[in-house]
Amino acid sequence: MTVRIYGIRNCDTMKKAFGWLEAAGVAYDFHDYKKAGIDEATLARWCASAGRKALLNRRGTTWRKLAPEQQTVDSDAEAIALMRAHPSVIRRPVIETDAGEVLVGFDPDSLAARLGVA
């Protein structure tokens, strides 16, 4: 099984996720959306699968620096526009499986169960 993991290379949570995937023997492709950007279609797919509330990192520095009107996100379209403009507000990691499942955040137990690894 190969998964695609999205995030920011230097993020501590991403480093934990990379280490966990490697230790579990899960092959992965990495997409750094801070450097390479992220397209609208991918974000729309994630919103449909995981929900915009799960995707938005409301605890991070980037979120806290946003103006209050930017933090008011009432639709997927607004969330997508915000995530494209400020990729750091996307919760990390986002993992897509071969089956098209979208997993958001790093929880080793949940990942083990969802990816079928011991």
Side-chain angles (χ1 to χ4, degrees):
M1 168 196 309
T2 300
V3 299
R4 184 154 180 107
I5 183 169
Y6 296 81
I8 298 169
R9 169 94 40 213
N10 293 328
C11 169
D12 288 340
T13 303
M14 292 297 300
K15 291 176 184 176
K16 290 176 191 175
F18 293 139
W20 185 90
L21 290 168
E22 290 163 6
V26 177
Y28 64 87
D29 293 319
F30 172 61
H31 179 93
D32 187 330
Y33 51 64
K34 181 109 177 188
K35 291 183 180 178
I38 191 78
D39 62 80
E40 188 172 335
T42 299
L43 292 170
R45 187 173 64 248
W46 293 353
C47 283
S49 179
R52 69 178 175 266
K53 290 183 180 182
L55 288 167
L56 290 172
N57 178 7
R58 297 174 190 265
R59 290 188 251 167
T61 305
T62 302
W63 180 265
R64 290 191 301 266
K65 289 181 181 179
L66 295 174
E69 59 273 6
Q70 290 176 295
Q71 293 177 347
T72 304
V73 179
D74 296 323
S75 69
D76 286 356
E78 289 175 358
I80 290 167
L82 181 64
M83 291 185 281
R84 290 203 68 211
H86 303 279
S88 294
V89 302
I90 303 171
R91 192 166 166 215
R92 298 177 291 274
V94 176
I95 298 173
E96 285 187 314
T97 68
D98 290 338
E101 188 175 10
V102 177
L103 313 173
V104 181
F106 178 64
D107 175 358
D109 295 333
S110 177
L111 281 177
R114 304 285 283 282
L115 298 177
V117 294

